[in-house]
Amino acid sequence: MVYKIAVSGRKGGVGKTTVACGLASVFASQGQRVLVIDLDPQSNTAYVLGTDPTAAGTAQLLLGQFPMPVEALENLHVLPGGPDLTSYGVQSSDPEDLADAVDVLNYDVILFDCPPGVEYLERLGWVAADTTLVCTNAHPLAVMGAGRVINELNARQQKGRRGSKRYALILSMIDLRRSMDQSLDAQLASAYPNTQRMVVRQDTTLAWASAERVPLMEYDHKCKGAEDLQKIAEWIKNA
C-alpha cells in the first residue's frame, strides 16, 4: 500500500511545510521509501530538507518530463517546487495530472506539500492524495482557511470525484499557555464534531531543524514535535 498524503491549509504560516517535512522524516526513519512533492513556487521543502531548492522538480513532472528526485537521505527524496509552477503549462494542467504522474513512482509514502493561496496547485495535491491533513493554528484567518479546505474536500467527496477520501485537522504550533490556543480544540470540535483532530505542539526544535536544514528525526528524534508527528504517522497507517 502506498500512502499518499496532502498537507494543506490555505493560509500561510500555519506549519504546512514543517508538518510535511517532519512526517517525511518520521516515515523515512521507519524504513519507508518517501518522496515529498513540493507544490509551492517558493520551494521551501527542498531547502528545509537540506537539498537544492532550484533543482528540476514538480513543475517538470507536471509538464510530462521525468525529473530525478533529489536525495535528502537514502530513503527520503524531494521533488522541489519553484517559480515554474506558475507557468501557463502548469496552470493549464488537468486536476488529475499529478495523480496520474505519481501512480508509476516507486515509493511507500508520497507527501504533497500544498502552497498557501494557490488553489489550482492545492487542488492537484488533494486529487493525488488519499488523505489530506488540514493545518491550522489559533489565528482566526487560519481557522477560516482550514474551513474552506474542508468545505471543498466535502464537496469533492459528495460529487464522487477522485482524491482524498479522508482528512484530519492538525492543530499546529499549539502552546496551551496562550488563551487562544486553549480554546482552539473546543472551537474546532464544535464546528467539525466528526473530524479527527491532532496536535503538533509549539517546539523550537522544529524551527531549528528547518533552519539548519536537517531532517527532523536526524536532528532530534526525541523532541516534542517528533513525538506529535509520530502519532500522526500512526493515525495515517492505522485509520
Side-chain angles (χ1 to χ4, degrees), residues 60 66-67 91 133 146 155 158 165 174 177-178 192 207 214 224:
Q60 287 69 33
F66 300 95
Q91 291 188 45
L133 302 177
Q158 289 167 5
K165 299 303 180 193
I174 296 300
R177 293 172 296 183
R178 297 187 294 239
Y192 310 104
V214 178
K224 289 187 297 185

Side-chain angles (χ1 to χ4, degrees), residues 6 8 10 39 91 93-99 114-115 118-129 132 152-153 156 161-164:
S8 185
R10 191 61 56 93
L39 286 161
Q91 291 188 45
S93 299
D94 185 276
E96 297 191 1
D97 280 354
L98 183 59
C114 298
V118 189
E119 296 180 21
Y120 71 93
L121 293 171
E122 189 177 46
R123 192 171 297 112
L124 288 167
W126 298 343
V127 174
T132 293
E152 293 189 36
L153 290 172
R156 291 193 63 84
R161 291 182 175 169
R162 185 175 180 179
S164 301

Side-chain angles (χ1 to χ4, degrees), residues 196-218:
Q196 177 74 35
R197 302 180 307 281
M198 293 175 281
V199 170
V200 177
R201 291 169 286 179
Q202 181 75 42
D203 184 355
T204 56
T205 305
L206 297 174
W208 276 111
S210 297
E212 298 191 13
R213 308 183 64 196
V214 178
L216 179 63
M217 299 299 280
E218 302 291 308

Side-chain angles (χ1 to χ4, degrees), residues 18-201:
T18 298
V19 169
C21 293
L23 275 176
S25 182
V26 167
F27 282 119
S29 74
Q30 297 172 351
Q32 308 265 22
R33 280 179 50 79
V34 181
L35 174 66
V36 187
I37 294 181
D38 189 0
L39 286 161
D40 193 338
Q42 297 180 85
S43 199
N44 290 334
T45 305
Y47 180 88
V48 165
L49 291 174
T51 64
D52 180 5
T54 66
T58 309
Q60 287 69 33
L61 181 70
L62 287 164
L63 294 171
Q65 302 169 23
F66 300 95
M68 182 67 70
V70 183
E71 183 177 274
L73 296 171
E74 182 180 356
N75 53 352
L76 173 54
H77 296 82
V78 187
L79 280 178
D84 288 348
L85 286 169
T86 63
S87 68
Y88 175 77
V90 173
Q91 291 188 45
S92 303
S93 299
D94 185 276
E96 297 191 1
D97 280 354
L98 183 59
D100 292 339
V102 302
D103 273 349
V104 299
L105 300 180
N106 183 26
Y107 287 91
D108 303 311
V109 179
I110 301 176
L111 285 142
F112 306 95
D113 187 13
C114 298
V118 189
E119 296 180 21
Y120 71 93
L121 293 171
E122 189 177 46
R123 192 171 297 112
L124 288 167
W126 298 343
V127 174
D130 303 312
T131 300
T132 293
L133 302 177
V134 185
C135 295
T136 183
N137 58 21
H139 194 286
L141 295 180
V143 175
M144 288 174 59
R148 289 175 179 143
V149 171
I150 289 172
N151 289 340
E152 293 189 36
L153 290 172
N154 285 336
R156 291 193 63 84
Q157 287 183 14
Q158 289 167 5
K159 293 176 181 176
R161 291 182 175 169
R162 185 175 180 179
S164 301
K165 299 303 180 193
R166 61 176 182 164
Y167 58 80
L169 281 159
I170 306 300
L171 286 63
S172 177
M173 299 181 283
I174 296 300
D175 183 344
L176 292 177
R177 293 172 296 183
R178 297 187 294 239
S179 58
M180 288 183 72
D181 290 24
Q182 292 172 13
S183 64
L184 179 61
D185 186 64
Q187 179 183 355
L188 295 174
S190 175
Y192 310 104
N194 299 317
T195 300
Q196 177 74 35
R197 302 180 307 281
M198 293 175 281
V199 170
V200 177
R201 291 169 286 179

